[in-house]
Amino acid sequence: RIQILFEDVFEMKRLKFVVVGAMGVGRTTLMENYIIGGAGQPGNSRPRSFMQCDTTSYVINVIVDGLPYSLKLFDPESDGTLDELQHLLLMELPDAVIIMYDISDNESFRSVEFFFRTVRSILPKIKCVLCGNKSDLRLRNPSNLPLMTESEGRKLAQRLRMRHFIETSGLGLQNVAELLNETVRLAVPALSEFNFRMKSRRREKCPIM
């Protein structure tokens, strides 16, 4: 009943995101930890009214810039075929795609361009966000694994003309809310334009020292 009232009053907008990436980058762990296991953890105060999940997708309600959204996140099988990915994209017609890599796995980083080109060949105008996962390894890296730098991630996003890049930790839940918020803003042009204008106004009002 609470969910019904919440959606009726605020006219919740529904968005679909597909999360892709090489095997082992931590997509499923990130989504399950955030949506299922993250509730009640200290410092984890993301707003939501309802959530549910099944084997291939997760639904979570969030508030971004004061507006409610229902997000359906699709997590296709890592060992699935390109035909299966194409079928998912064409059937669901997502509002945005999150392309994820593991900052400790150079192969997954190199696979980003493959996923980007593949997704764009299926949906040429789809908006994409680049996510470097497992950022907790920057603080605790017992195996001393070589890590991709944030600068390398940003340069790749710029080269592919992806609008946003962010590093996350599915284990510690760092920046996961920010990843979803930025993807919502990217998927909703009016919201993205509003935030751009507000940031521009703040810079104009900022006194020069």
Side-chain angles (χ1 to χ4, degrees), residues 32-49:
E32 289 186 349
N33 283 353
Y34 183 73
I35 296 172
I36 301 174
Q41 288 193 10
N44 189 19
S45 57
R46 60 192 182 281
R48 66 175 186 244
S49 63

Side-chain angles (χ1 to χ4, degrees), residues 171-189:
L171 184 64
L173 300 180
Q174 285 88 12
N175 289 338
V176 180
E178 287 78 1
L179 170 66
L180 296 179
N181 290 351
E182 288 302 322
T183 309
V184 168
R185 294 182 181 114
L186 181 64
V188 183

Side-chain angles (χ1 to χ4, degrees), residues 6-207:
F6 188 85
E7 294 186 359
D8 287 348
V9 172
F10 292 96
E11 297 182 358
M12 181 178 295
K13 182 176 179 61
R14 290 171 171 78
L15 298 174
K16 298 177 182 179
F17 301 153
V18 174
V19 187
V20 300
M23 184 178 295
V25 299
R27 292 178 293 134
T28 302
T29 298
L30 181 145
M31 285 187 278
E32 289 186 349
N33 283 353
Y34 183 73
I35 296 172
I36 301 174
Q41 288 193 10
N44 189 19
S45 57
R46 60 192 182 281
R48 66 175 186 244
S49 63
F50 175 77
M51 64 184 184
Q52 66 183 21
C53 69
D54 56 37
T55 56
T56 60
S57 63
Y58 308 84
V59 176
I60 181 170
N61 292 353
V62 300
I63 295 176
V64 180
D65 299 333
L67 299 175
Y69 296 89
S70 178
L71 309 182
K72 188 167 188 178
L73 309 175
F74 292 90
D75 179 19
E77 293 292 333
S78 297
D79 56 355
T81 66
L82 291 180
D83 286 342
E84 290 171 338
L85 177 59
Q86 181 180 35
H87 177 75
L88 173 63
L89 293 173
L90 292 177
M91 285 293 293
E92 298 296 340
L93 294 177
D95 299 281
V97 171
I98 298 171
I99 302 177
M100 186 179 293
Y101 68 93
D102 173 354
I103 67 168
S104 69
D105 184 351
N106 193 41
E107 287 296 325
S108 73
F109 182 76
R110 286 200 291 265
S111 74
V112 167
E113 187 163 358
F114 166 78
F115 282 105
F116 178 77
R117 303 295 181 195
T118 299
V119 168
R120 280 290 178 88
S121 70
I122 299 168
L123 298 175
K125 295 185 179 180
I126 190 70
K127 297 169 182 176
C128 298
V129 173
L130 181 60
C131 172
N133 195 32
K134 303 187 182 180
S135 63
D136 52 282
L137 289 174
R138 298 203 186 283
L139 300 176
R140 187 184 62 84
N141 187 3
S143 300
N144 199 28
L145 298 170
L147 306 178
M148 309 299 298
T149 66
E150 285 192 65
S151 177
E152 288 174 301
R154 288 197 174 87
K155 287 179 181 177
L156 178 59
Q158 291 171 355
R159 181 167 65 82
L160 297 178
R161 297 185 179 180
M162 299 170 74
R163 291 284 296 276
H164 293 292
F165 164 73
I166 189 168
E167 283 196 352
T168 60
S169 168
L171 184 64
L173 300 180
Q174 285 88 12
N175 289 338
V176 180
E178 287 78 1
L179 170 66
L180 296 179
N181 290 351
E182 288 302 322
T183 309
V184 168
R185 294 182 181 114
L186 181 64
V188 183
L191 190 62
S192 181
E193 177 65 19
F194 172 79
N195 278 279
F196 175 77
R197 290 179 179 178
M198 291 300 294
K199 289 179 181 178
S200 298
R201 289 179 182 177
R202 292 193 192 104
R203 284 196 294 266
E204 290 172 1
K205 292 181 180 179
C206 182

